[in-house]
Amino acid sequence: QRIGCHKKMLLHQRIKNVVALGSSFAAGTGIEPIVNVAAMRSGNNYASLVARRLGTNLTDVTCGGATTDNILSVPQLSPISVSATPFPPQIEAVKSDTDLVLITIGGNDVGYSAHSMRQGYVCWLERSYWGIMRPLGWLVRALWKTKGTVSKEDEQRTTKKIVKIVQEARSRSNNNARVVLVDYLAVFSKESLRLAGKDLPFTRDEIIS
């Protein structure tokens, strides 16, 4: 137990500057307080909690809707404000004195949230109390041809970009920073499998994938 405490103390002493990169799951979109409306960024996202726990400085450039390109090289427009100044590529926040980089990215590259919203919208139309809406739901489903699985090409392309992000973060910090990839939260639980195709507009395969 003493060894564990000692390791924590050393970790706290070494980590002084934290940088957070990522999309809405990293930004904590919808969690109060919202500290940057244009970026849909919360003051209680996981990076903020980690920084407060460690007592470190935090540079949080996470933004709802971000893709791997928005981290690496492409400025990002605000997902909700057309008048907001575009956000520069997030990777620019990593400096030579950065000790820890937290990254959650890739979901928007493969349509993680977009697919869920499409399926929910189509299901709402198909189950509408207004009969005229149901054929519209069937039509939209046929036009979108929604699939629950990510193509191998999208998966490989996104993986390569995430690897590049890690490499770039290491390079910009002069190989001093610890880079941590934080996974997306699970949207569905085991209980969801029982409801698949019934109360949920997703098949078992779509939920598992």
Side-chain angles (χ1 to χ4, degrees), residues 113-186:
S113 298
H115 172 70
S116 298
M117 290 188 286
R118 281 201 306 265
Q119 288 287 78
Y121 178 62
V122 168
C123 183
W124 176 78
L125 288 173
E126 291 176 338
R127 301 182 184 186
S128 173
Y129 288 108
W130 296 282
I132 193 173
M133 302 294 284
R134 295 176 186 175
L136 179 60
W138 303 332
L139 176 61
V140 172
R141 182 181 294 278
L143 290 175
W144 273 340
K145 296 181 180 178
T146 52
K147 299 291 183 182
T149 57
V150 179
S151 71
K152 286 293 183 182
E153 292 76 14
D154 286 341
E155 184 178 307
Q156 292 172 356
R157 181 169 52 251
T158 302
T159 299
K160 288 180 180 178
K161 288 184 179 180
I162 292 175
V163 169
K164 188 174 182 180
I165 290 171
V166 173
Q167 293 172 337
E168 185 67 17
R170 294 283 292 169
S171 175
R172 284 175 171 266
S173 68
N174 295 328
N175 290 321
N176 292 322
R178 176 178 296 184
V179 181
V180 179
L181 297 176
V182 182
D183 201 358
Y184 284 77
L185 294 173

Side-chain angles (χ1 to χ4, degrees), residues 68-88:
T68 51
D69 286 337
N70 296 134
I71 288 185
L72 286 169
S73 60
V74 181
Q76 181 183 358
L77 298 175
S78 168
I80 61 172
S81 175
V82 295
S83 61
T85 302
F87 300 104

